[in-house]
């Protein structure tokens, strides 16, 4: 993870680190604890833009203050009919779409990440797994050349900007 974080600092647009107190306040607010990958990221930078600065970044890793339930981000309502309460936004990938973290389960002490395609959320047929951990997601995102690596289409257009 440290190699990936160094790359984020060197070649992308990280925000200032979160303090341990900010992480503690976040965990109190949401009712779940950051896994080791996420904790390392937020202690290194409290959010970041990859490849380009806002508004044209293809990957905007949200600050702790911006992380909310997926159903609230996508539908504006905190209601079970709009998806599970355990899914939270982690990365804004433009046009109302997100990469989501599923805090209801862990694999090897890490939360898995899922595609939060807003037009199909929460249908798992269209909102498939993206990565088994944040470090896997970050590695693939950094190697993507600014493309959304988890989309099946090979004809994806260049990111805007």
């Amino acid at each position: 993870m440290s190699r990936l974080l160094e790359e984020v600092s060197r070649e992308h647009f990280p925000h200032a680190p979160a303090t341990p107190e900010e992480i503690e306040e976040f965990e109190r607010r949401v009712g779940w604890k950051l896994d080791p990958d996420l904790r390392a990221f937020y202690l290194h930078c409290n959010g970041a833009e990859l490849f380009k600065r806002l508004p044209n970044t293809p990957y905007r890793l949200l600050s702790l203050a911006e992380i909310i339930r997926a159903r609230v981000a996508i539908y504006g309502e905190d209601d079970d009919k709009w998806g599970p309460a355990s899914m939270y936004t982690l990365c804004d990938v433009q046009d109302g779409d997100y990469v989501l973290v599923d805090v209801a389960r862990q694999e090897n002490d890490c939360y898995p990440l899922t595609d939060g395609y807003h037009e199909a959320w929460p249908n798992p047929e269209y909102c498939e797994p993206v990565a088994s951990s944040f470090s896997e997601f970050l590695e693939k995102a950094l190697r993507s050349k600014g493309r959304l690596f988890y989309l099946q289409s090979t004809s994806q257009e260049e990111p805007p900007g």
Side-chain angles (χ1 to χ4, degrees):
M1 188 68 179
S2 60
R3 176 184 55 79
L4 298 173
L5 296 175
E6 289 170 15
E7 184 177 340
V8 169
S9 289
R10 191 175 56 252
E11 299 177 20
H12 301 275
F13 308 97
H15 300 183
T19 65
E21 294 78 21
E22 288 172 313
I23 289 174
E24 189 176 305
E25 156 52 33
F26 166 79
E27 290 175 339
R28 253 195 318 274
R29 174 175 64 86
V30 296
W32 51 273
K33 299 246 183 240
L34 295 175
D35 68 25
D37 283 357
L38 290 170
R39 182 172 299 280
F41 175 78
Y42 284 102
L43 285 170
H44 185 82
C45 55
N46 190 2
E49 290 95 39
L50 303 182
F51 302 100
K52 297 178 183 178
R53 289 199 178 273
L54 285 172
N56 297 318
T57 182
Y59 293 96
R60 184 170 71 91
L61 297 163
L62 301 175
S63 71
L64 293 172
E66 296 173 300
I67 295 173
I68 59 174
R69 282 198 172 116
R71 61 196 192 186
V72 174
I74 295 170
Y75 290 109
E77 290 184 46
D78 198 3
D79 189 300
D80 287 342
K81 71 181 178 182
W82 301 119
S86 64
M87 301 295 283
Y88 283 80
T89 57
L90 188 63
C91 182
D92 182 340
V93 292
Q94 302 284 342
D95 297 328
D97 297 329
Y98 295 90
V99 172
L100 309 173
V101 60
D102 183 357
V103 302
R105 56 193 181 94
Q106 286 190 335
E107 300 166 6
N108 300 315
D109 294 324
C110 293
Y111 299 119
L113 280 66
T114 300
D115 182 5
Y117 176 50
H118 77 278
E119 291 179 359
W121 178 254
N123 185 337
E125 189 175 324
Y126 298 101
C127 298
E128 297 181 347
V130 169
S132 62
S133 67
F134 180 71
S135 58
E136 178 189 342
F137 169 78
L138 186 57
E139 173 82 36
K140 289 179 177 181
L142 292 172
R143 304 295 160 254
S144 72
K145 299 181 182 172
R147 296 179 183 270
L148 300 182
F149 69 86
Y150 53 89
L151 298 179
Q152 298 291 333
S153 173
T154 55
S155 64
Q156 180 184 1
E157 295 178 23
E158 286 290 319

